Amino acid sequence: MGHKKGISRFFATIMYLGYLALGAYIFYMIEAPNEAKERQKIQKVKSNMLEMYPNMPEGARVHLVFPSARYGHLSPATEIGKVVCMIYTAIGIPITLLILALHVDMLTSISNAYKANLFRRLGFQHPFFVRTLHFFSVMVFIVVGTFFLPAWVFYSLEAGWSYLDAIYFCFISLTTVGLGDFVPGLAVQHPHVELYRFLATLYLIMGVTVVMFMMGLATDYYQNCNKGYHVIPVKIIPEKAPILPKDPPAYGDPPPPSYGAIIIPETIDETRLLLS
């Protein structure tokens, strides 16, 4: 079952990336002619400025002609582009949520396997300790790998960013607040800047998935951290389970043998997890 889900998840992700690539191509074909006209206008304005203010510093010229970019500074300017954008977004949002849910489910399965391993190694006598160790160890791993390390990469590549700026960008972007006061790849002077922007986009998609998983992990921890186990969960093998008679014993007959009660853990998720 897990193998089939992995294959389905893989092909769904490939199709989603293809949908993104198709959308990029469609918008490029629609907006490119209009963008070429706008660039000609900008070059004309720049030439007029140079004639009027020949001693103006280059940085001031760029700031006047190209205002600071923010999220959403790339938007369709043509009528057909706006219509296509609404249709593409209406289709794309449910697909994006589905893809994110598939990958959150994968991360949850990995996390549950790790938690089950902790219970097996540390025992079921102290469930609060085991759940707390699982929660904080996973959170530290995610925070370092999703925020601090990528922030260091952005800090190294973006000349005008401090490390705090990079962490701020990662947090604001992955939590989908998206103020847009920092946009990667605009001031980077590198022959592979397009690859850098593409990788930054993949990071944002993956990071949003991880943040969604973190929310689910935190919710599960706060709901279940104080729940305990009355007995160690055991796996029932149907072939070896005793079969009780269907008819109740008659008056005076000896009582049926007692096979003991099996108490299931209180958390539905961990019932499936720990008995597997």
Side-chain angles (χ1 to χ4, degrees), residues 36-48:
K37 295 179 182 179
E38 294 296 326
R39 288 183 177 274
Q40 292 178 357
K41 293 180 182 179
I42 291 175
Q43 291 297 332
K44 184 176 181 180
V45 171
K46 186 175 181 180
S47 299
N48 294 336

Side-chain angles (χ1 to χ4, degrees), residues 164-229:
L164 177 60
D165 293 336
I167 294 179
Y168 169 81
F169 163 76
C170 294
F171 181 84
I172 293 299
S173 299
L174 299 189
T175 54
T176 67
V177 176
L179 298 178
D181 40 357
F182 291 95
V183 180
L186 292 181
V188 175
Q189 301 298 328
H190 193 276
H192 302 293
V193 65
E194 295 296 333
L195 176 61
Y196 167 62
R197 292 171 181 168
F198 174 74
L199 293 177
T201 302
L202 288 183
Y203 160 73
L204 294 177
I205 296 175
M206 296 171 59
V208 170
T209 304
V210 173
V211 170
M212 291 177 61
F213 163 72
M214 291 174 65
M215 294 178 181
L217 182 66
T219 301
D220 177 75
Y221 173 73
Y222 288 124
Q223 288 179 347
N224 301 316
C225 65
N226 291 321
K227 292 184 179 179
Y229 293 99

Side-chain angles (χ1 to χ4, degrees), residues 262-274:
I262 298 177
I263 302 178
I264 303 299
E266 298 179 25
T267 306
I268 296 177
D269 175 60
E270 292 178 353
T271 301
R272 176 182 58 82
L273 162 66
L274 298 173

